[in-house]
Amino acid sequence: MMDLVTSGMQILMRFHFYDKIKDLQQAKTSNNRAIEKDNALRLGLFEQLSRRKAFEVLRMEVRLNKRQKIRQLFNTLGIQTELTYKNLFNPLISQKILLYYLDELESKRLALFDYRPATPKALLADLIIKNPKLGLKKIIQVYGLKQIFDTINSRELRAMFGNCSQRSWYRLIAEVKKVKLPITTSPFEVVRHHLTSFKPLKLVDFQGKMINNDKYN
């Protein structure tokens, strides 16, 4: 699951963006470490998938749970339609919502996650050059945080510092978001490309890579 670190945004929905195969792998170790909580029923599937040919599908899922929240979102996006099943199951509406939340995700993602310095020394140099007003203490703090994020994700880090207040965490993240670093590529480019084209994925187009595809022989 992609790391999303915020400094206190309002949650309007449940937003999942994860590798299902990786989630099953996590569940095999401990169900508490997985995104979905019913993976115990699907671990047999994991054994099959572990022997599959290279075939990955990244799933982006927005779960809008309440009518009021849907109305708020539609007002934000300028979508005018009655909230009926017939109207809501609309590819153009789905595309607009997914692109909106992809933009939200990208805007809240720390540049620190996607910056790839050639060496630790290059990281330190970029922090100093790109942030001339950043003090010595803050540069060292951000440098250390980058090293940590290259080892564990933000959820694990927060769990390890569970005794610290949320205010301290949000203050740290708000400060780190101001740090400037050179980003050459965005991990969202490929996702945005496919959401813009919005071409349905049909498993029959990947028969050679499917499990139990003997019915197509």
Side-chain angles (χ1 to χ4, degrees):
M1 185 176 184
M2 275 193 175
D3 274 305
L4 171 61
V5 180
T6 105
S7 53
M9 73 172 181
Q10 182 182 10
I11 302 298
L12 299 181
M13 49 43 165
R14 294 178 65 194
F15 184 25
H16 291 278
F17 202 175
Y18 62 95
D19 182 338
K20 185 59 184 176
I21 309 305
K22 182 66 175 179
D23 200 45
L24 286 170
Q25 188 178 29
Q26 292 278 52
K28 194 173 183 181
T29 302
S30 171
N31 200 47
N32 292 329
R33 300 182 63 183
I35 303 300
E36 296 288 353
K37 299 307 178 187
D38 61 348
N39 282 314
L41 302 175
R42 312 177 191 180
L43 289 180
L45 176 63
F46 174 76
E47 298 299 335
Q48 297 181 59
L49 292 173
S50 64
R51 297 190 297 270
R52 73 198 185 296
K53 298 178 182 178
F55 180 59
E56 300 284 354
V57 177
L58 181 65
R59 177 179 182 137
M60 179 177 179
E61 182 178 292
V62 176
R63 301 178 184 179
L64 301 169
N65 299 321
K66 295 184 180 180
R67 190 181 187 90
Q68 180 183 0
K69 300 303 182 183
I70 296 176
R71 288 191 184 278
Q72 291 177 2
L73 176 60
F74 279 22
N75 287 337
T76 299
L77 299 180
I79 300 173
Q80 298 180 353
T81 186
E82 291 294 323
L83 301 186
T84 63
Y85 281 114
K86 182 179 180 180
N87 292 337
L88 292 179
F89 284 90
N90 181 308
L92 293 178
I93 291 178
S94 299
Q95 181 188 41
K96 200 166 188 178
I97 291 173
L98 290 172
L99 284 170
Y100 171 77
Y101 280 112
L102 185 68
D103 289 340
E104 286 285 293
L105 178 64
E106 186 169 19
S107 70
K108 292 176 173 63
R109 184 173 168 84
L110 297 180
L112 213 58
F113 288 141
D114 304 319
Y115 169 62
R116 295 289 180 266
T119 64
K121 185 177 180 179
L123 165 61
L124 189 58
D126 279 336
L127 284 172
I128 295 171
I129 295 170
K130 298 291 183 181
N131 305 272
K133 296 183 179 180
L134 210 60
L136 173 63
K137 180 180 179 180
K138 187 58 62 179
I139 287 177
I140 293 176
Q141 185 180 49
V142 175
Y143 178 89
L145 189 61
K146 171 61 177 173
Q147 302 300 322
I148 293 173
F149 281 149
D150 284 347
T151 306
I152 62 176
N153 62 44
S154 61
R155 288 190 302 161
E156 291 173 315
L157 180 60
R158 286 201 66 181
M160 293 177 70
F161 285 93
N163 59 330
C164 295
S165 68
Q166 285 194 349
R167 170 178 280 186
S168 297
W169 172 259
Y170 290 143
R171 184 167 55 246
L172 170 63
I173 296 307
E175 292 173 352
V176 174
K177 284 188 70 174
K178 299 175 184 177
V179 174
K180 297 179 181 179
L181 286 168
I183 305 299
T184 54
T185 59
S186 169
F188 300 92
E189 289 178 1
V190 174
V191 180
R192 181 170 284 103
H193 168 73
H194 285 285
L195 287 181
T196 301
S197 62
F198 218 60
K199 180 182 177 181
L201 185 147
K202 299 178 181 179
L203 291 181
V204 294
D205 294 334
F206 302 91
Q207 293 182 23
K209 299 179 181 180
M210 290 171 59
I211 298 171
N212 297 330
N213 64 337
D214 54 312
K215 62 182 179 182
Y216 297 107
N217 293 333

